[in-house]
Amino acid sequence: SVQRIKPLTGVVADDSSAVTLGVDYTAAANWKGSAQVQWQTSTTSRSWLTSAALANKLDADWTLLNRALYNQQTNLSGVGGERKLMTAQTGFSYRPVETNQLNALGRLQYKRDVDSTLGAGLNRNEASWLASTHVNFQPSHHWLMTGRSAPRSVTDRAGALDSRSLTRLLGGRSTWDATDRLDVGLQAYRSVGHGAAA
């Protein structure tokens, strides 16, 4: 695709152009993939955005999921500088086709954000790791239990400041179909990290 934006009236008069190329592959029986690259430019900024995703079905019950994204934006006005955002994710899904009593999702994510557009002495460099699991268990047709766990570690360097934090989320929910029109549910979640709890 090719895109051209030219404001006719208003305060913003920043013309921009963008070119995008994307591809999807779905012919294989056990895997699917996609990729995209975009270039955008205007009088105030210029950026690249690339992304890719791959889903691989290992067998009837297990599927592996991978995704990556990279974005670089250069500031052409003001203080200048650029911002880079990188994200990489890998995960799995477990969905047994025969029983369907227990389903599970898991994900591991790495994210990094480097920003030098904030001005002198305010450069930021943040990196984080996130691991999350989601489990659904249905012991009977009327009863469903779900659980979730997600620890997250962050390192943030902004100017002369350096901070680290670890946050953990743990919780669950249980629902019961009392009748065809009435559901009863109970849930509890707890978040702990960086000197605070909820």
Side-chain angles (χ1 to χ4, degrees), residues 17-30:
S17 302
V19 179
T20 304
L21 177 64
V23 60
D24 291 322
Y25 183 79
T26 60
N30 295 325

Side-chain angles (χ1 to χ4, degrees), residues 68-195:
L69 180 144
Y70 175 77
N71 179 226
Q72 177 179 328
Q73 181 173 339
T74 303
N75 192 357
L76 303 179
S77 64
V79 297
E82 65 180 12
R83 184 178 183 183
K84 297 179 181 179
L85 178 64
M86 296 153 279
T87 303
Q89 297 176 339
T90 184
F92 71 89
S93 66
Y94 174 69
R95 295 172 178 169
V97 295
E98 294 184 0
T99 61
N100 199 30
Q101 189 179 48
L102 177 66
N103 298 321
L105 294 173
R107 181 183 66 170
L108 178 64
Q109 173 183 284
Y110 173 75
K111 182 178 180 181
R112 186 163 187 179
D113 189 354
V114 181
D115 192 353
S116 62
T117 65
L118 304 176
L122 299 176
N123 294 349
R124 184 179 181 187
N125 189 342
E126 180 183 287
S128 65
W129 285 93
L130 171 67
S132 64
T133 55
H134 307 259
V135 178
N136 292 344
F137 178 61
Q138 190 167 8
S140 68
H141 178 69
H142 300 283
W143 187 15
L144 175 64
M145 293 185 293
T146 64
R148 180 182 179 187
S149 174
R152 181 172 183 256
S153 173
V154 179
T155 301
D156 190 1
R157 296 181 176 90
L161 300 177
D162 190 349
S163 63
R164 292 177 174 83
S165 64
L166 176 62
T167 306
R168 297 173 298 276
L169 174 67
L170 182 64
R173 179 181 181 185
S174 179
T175 58
W176 176 266
D177 296 336
T179 67
D180 294 338
R181 297 173 178 262
L182 178 64
D183 296 338
V184 179
L186 177 65
Q187 67 177 7
Y189 286 91
R190 182 170 176 82
S191 176
V192 179
H194 211 56

